[in-house]
Amino acid sequence: DGYVDNISDPILDKYERIIGSEVTKDDIFFYVYGILHSPEFRAKFDSELKKVGPRIPAVRDFHAFAKAGRDLSDLHLGYESVDVYPLNVQEPTGPDYRVKKMKFSGSGKNKDRSTIIYNDQITVAGIPEEAYRYMLGSRSAIEWVMERYQVKTDKKSGIVNDPNDWAKEVGDPRYILNLLGRIVTVSVETMKIVDRLPQIDVVVEK
């Protein structure tokens, strides 16, 4: 129940009138999280979302969206503990798990998003195209990980940002490789939940 402070009493009163007295602040919090993942909501309110912050309508299937929001929240907050997706990892005996910059197999028109070259020794294959539907802004979650987990040198300061340092700190040389597999799982499971979301049927408050 750590989400109640995000919902004001007037909002709770409004949803109690529309949905029923059994509605809690946590229900409303997860409802908002669920409805923000609705492709229909994003398409229907696209112009408003670009101009101002999202205005969340009350819909008839409130509890379905709240349940979806709770499931999505558990999935996204617990991304480090989900099962690693069963990918085809090709690696030699005793490989070096350090990553410099991951890239897709092939290039241009022949780019193969089902296969990621993790480093010179390791290739990860079997990534379902479905996983790329889960977007974080303008790119997929998988591509976000590929971009975020690479060795970079800041041009101004010369400071090197090396994600391998974190893998060393947690004592898990496979951390980044397993994270990639976990994000594939999160992406696939997220889209399963999103695809089950009901239609947006706005309730007009009397």
Side-chain angles (χ1 to χ4, degrees):
D1 293 79
Y3 307 94
V4 293
D5 290 341
N6 293 288
I7 306 298
S8 66
D9 290 335
I11 292 296
L12 176 61
D13 292 341
K14 173 183 177 179
Y15 278 85
E16 284 181 336
R17 290 195 304 272
I18 298 174
I19 307 301
S21 59
E22 78 284 356
V23 171
T24 67
K25 288 185 176 182
D26 273 5
D27 290 335
I28 298 171
F29 177 90
F30 289 117
Y31 164 76
V32 172
Y33 196 69
I35 206 166
L36 286 174
H37 281 80
S38 166
E40 182 186 2
F41 171 80
R42 294 181 180 184
K44 183 173 290 188
F45 299 99
D46 179 64
S47 59
E48 290 86 346
L49 290 170
K50 290 179 179 177
K51 297 175 183 176
V52 296
R55 301 181 64 181
I56 308 298
V59 302
R60 297 191 188 282
D61 286 316
F62 173 91
H63 293 291
F65 280 100
K67 172 64 166 58
R70 189 178 293 272
D71 292 343
L72 287 167
S73 178
D74 288 344
L75 186 61
H76 298 161
L77 289 175
Y79 71 94
E80 287 188 303
S81 61
V82 302
D83 291 337
V84 175
Y85 196 85
L87 299 169
N88 179 12
V89 180
Q90 302 168 18
E91 58 185 295
T93 302
D96 180 3
Y97 290 105
R98 288 181 54 81
V99 64
K100 291 183 179 179
K101 183 175 182 179
M102 290 179 266
K103 62 181 180 180
F104 291 115
S105 176
S107 61
K109 293 182 179 179
N110 295 319
K111 182 171 70 174
D112 178 9
R113 297 204 302 178
S114 72
T115 302
I116 291 175
I117 309 301
Y118 179 83
N119 64 21
D120 292 342
Q121 298 182 10
I122 301 172
T123 299
V124 180
I127 302 170
E129 186 62 28
E130 177 76 5
Y132 290 99
R133 292 177 57 206
Y134 178 40
M135 305 291 289
L136 297 178
S138 60
R139 55 187 167 179
S140 70
I142 294 171
E143 290 165 304
W144 184 91
V145 169
M146 294 173 68
E147 173 67 23
R148 178 68 180 81
Y149 286 83
Q150 64 172 291
V151 178
K152 280 186 176 181
T153 301
D154 184 79
K155 292 182 179 179
K156 291 184 178 180
S157 66
I159 295 174
V160 177
N161 178 23
D162 189 345
N164 299 288
D165 291 342
W166 175 249
K168 185 185 299 183
E169 186 173 329
V170 297
D172 181 6
R174 291 179 62 99
Y175 175 82
I176 299 173
L177 181 61
N178 286 338
L179 176 64
L180 178 63
R182 289 188 169 100
I183 294 303
V184 174
T185 296
V186 168
S187 299
V188 170
E189 294 303 316
T190 291
M191 295 317 302
K192 286 181 181 179
I193 296 171
V194 168
D195 288 342
R196 292 196 299 266
L197 289 173
Q199 291 186 323
I200 301 290
D201 185 5
V202 178
V203 176
V204 179
E205 187 177 6
K206 297 180 180 179

